[in-house]
Amino acid sequence: MLLDTAPIRDASRRIVRELGFMRPTLAGTEFAPSSVHALIEIGRNGTLTAAELCAVLDLEKSSVSRMVRKLIQSGELTEEPNGQDARSKSLSLTEQGRNTLAAINAYADNVVTSSLDDLSAAIQEKVRDGLVAYADALEHRRVGEASKPAAIAIESGYQPGIIGRCAEMHGRYYARAVGFDHFFEGKVATGLAEFSDRLGRPVNQIWAAIDGEKIVGTVAIDGENLGNNVAHLRWFIMEDGYRGAGIGKRLLDEAVSFAAANGFTEIHLWTLKGLDAARRLYERQGFVLADEYAGDQWGREIMEQRFTRKAGGD
C-alpha cells in the first residue's frame, strides 16, 4: 500500500508559508530568501565560490551572480582570489555580514523554539529527525543519489527500556491495524516482563534495533514455552517510519540464526490474518502458513494464524 503523500505535501506548503518564504524578504532582514540562504551557507562553510553556491542553493549562475553582486555592494560579502583556481573567487562574510547572520540565526531560533514549546519532548525529537530525513531525501533525489539509510544497530540481550518500548510499539500498531486496546498492550508487557526473567538461559534471546539511543524494533526467541524442541518467535515489531528499510529482515535473520545454532528443529510464530506486509516478510524468511483459527486471547475474537519453518531452513 502506497503512502498517502497529500499530508506531507500540505505540511511542506504550510511550512514554506509560515516561515515567510512567500514574502519578498526573510528572517527580519531586508534581503530576499535566496540572499538569506546564501549568507547562511557561506557562514556555515567559511568560504564558497559562486559555482559552489550555485550547487548548494540549486540556482542558475546568472541569478547567483546578481545576488552576490548585491550582497558585496551592501557590505555583507567580500571576495578574494581563490588560491586553488585563479578563474574563480572565494566569497566570505564581512564583519557586517557576520552580524547579519547572527541576527538571522537569532530570529530563526526564536521562531522554531517558540513553535515547538507546546509539543512534548518526544514529539520535538520526531519533528527534528523526520525533517532532517525528509530534507536529506529531497536533496539526494535532486543530485541523483540514493538516500543513505541510517546506521541502525542490532543489539542482543536486555536493553534498558526494551519492555516499555516493545509494548508501546505493539500497542500503537495494533490499535491502528485491528482496533486493539489496553488489554492487548498489557498482555504484551506482562509477557515480556515474564520472559525477561528467563533471558539468562541459553535457549532464550531478544534483539533490539537501535537508532542512536532509541529502540525502533524488537524480536525474540523463546526456547522454552512451546516445548518439543520448537522455538517460539515472539514480539516482532517495527516502529512507524522504519518499515521497508530492511531492518525487520535483519532482526528476523538474527532470530532464525539463533534458533538454528541452538539446535531447534522448528520455529513457530503467531500473527493475525490481514497483516499482509508482515506475512510477506515471514514468507520470504521461509515460514509457511500452518494453521488459521478464530482466537479470543487478545480481548475479542479475531482470526489468528500460525506460521512455521524448519530451524535449519531445510
Side-chain angles (χ1 to χ4, degrees), residues 99 103 111 158 194 200 217 228 243 261 281:
N99 290 335
V111 170
Y158 171 78
E194 183 276 329
N228 300 318
R243 300 185 187 96
L281 187 53

Side-chain angles (χ1 to χ4, degrees), residues 116-234:
L116 294 176
D117 277 345
D118 292 335
L119 303 179
S120 68
I123 295 298
Q124 289 180 19
E125 289 183 3
K126 287 184 178 180
V127 170
R128 178 198 63 200
D129 296 345
L131 281 175
V132 169
Y134 180 39
D136 285 345
L138 288 170
E139 183 178 3
H140 289 144
R141 176 187 176 278
R142 174 174 63 85
V143 299
E145 296 177 353
S147 296
K148 299 176 181 177
I152 306 295
I154 306 295
E155 301 288 347
S156 62
Y158 171 78
Q159 308 292 326
I162 195 170
I163 295 173
R165 279 291 294 141
C166 183
E168 177 192 357
M169 288 186 287
H170 275 81
R172 290 183 182 278
Y173 176 76
Y174 284 92
R176 182 176 66 250
V178 294
F180 281 169
D181 59 15
H182 65 282
F183 180 85
F184 170 78
E185 187 172 343
K187 287 202 69 171
V188 171
T190 300
L192 276 164
E194 183 276 329
F195 176 73
S196 67
D197 289 337
R198 298 189 279 113
L199 273 175
R201 301 170 190 173
V203 294
N204 302 321
Q205 189 55 279
I206 192 167
W207 295 264
I210 303 177
D211 184 1
E213 297 182 356
K214 181 182 179 182
I215 295 172
V216 298
T218 60
V219 72
I221 288 288
D222 188 335
E224 296 179 298
N225 72 326
L226 294 182
N228 300 318
N229 205 32
V230 173
H232 186 183
L233 190 146
R234 308 179 74 180

